[in-house]
Amino acid sequence: MLRGWLGWLGWLGWLGWLGWLDWCRATLLRKCAGLDATQLAQRAVPRSNLSLLGLVRHMSDTERGWVRQTFRGEQVPDLCYRADAPATDFEEAAPAGAEEDFDRYRARRVDHEQQRRAAAGD
């Protein structure tokens, strides 16, 4: 499966991929701007576990998995994922932890941007 993804990334082009990822990150942060913890954790529709906070948690965990665990080979624990409850990033998105979850994602985005600029010589 990883080989298929890497082939797709090669087709898209590494710089194109990073630009697209930056756009997705910025879009998510823009959608969350100005919302309080309760609004971030509010479900999109009844009976759904989808919320902006859930997306923030999902992106934090997914990027950690791909960048640190898969590409760098670091032995770091998942932030949200548990084998017994794989959707915890959405199901456990609660106002009480919203600020911490949001700050973690925002800090990682800034870190990624600084690393990319350093690699490009900007």
Side-chain angles (χ1 to χ4, degrees):
M1 174 146 183
L2 180 59
R3 183 173 295 177
W5 274 101
L6 292 177
W8 182 80
L9 288 176
W11 175 83
L12 185 58
W14 188 245
L15 292 178
W17 167 250
L18 291 176
W20 180 75
L21 186 56
D22 285 343
W23 179 83
C24 289
R25 290 172 177 151
T27 299
L28 180 57
L29 291 174
R30 192 169 47 253
K31 298 291 183 184
C32 296
L35 300 179
D36 63 27
T38 302
Q39 291 169 316
L40 285 170
Q42 183 178 353
R43 306 297 190 218
V45 294
R47 299 184 63 201
S48 171
N49 64 3
L50 181 64
S51 67
L52 286 172
L53 182 60
L55 287 172
V56 166
R57 290 167 49 90
H58 177 75
M59 291 294 291
S60 294
D61 204 28
T62 300
E63 289 186 26
R64 180 185 184 101
W66 276 104
V67 174
R68 296 187 67 193
Q69 296 169 338
T70 302
F71 294 130
R72 294 182 186 163
E74 296 178 20
Q75 298 297 314
V76 294
D78 292 315
L79 294 172
C80 302
Y81 178 81
R82 294 192 323 255
D84 64 322
T88 56
D89 43 2
F90 292 101
E91 292 169 358
E92 295 180 3
E99 186 174 345
E100 180 183 348
D101 290 332
F102 192 71
D103 287 347
R104 180 186 313 124
Y105 183 69
R106 189 174 27 222
R108 287 299 302 151
R109 181 176 184 274
V110 168
D111 184 46
H112 285 294
E113 191 171 311
Q114 289 172 344
Q115 289 175 6
R116 188 171 58 92
R117 285 184 179 164
D122 290 346

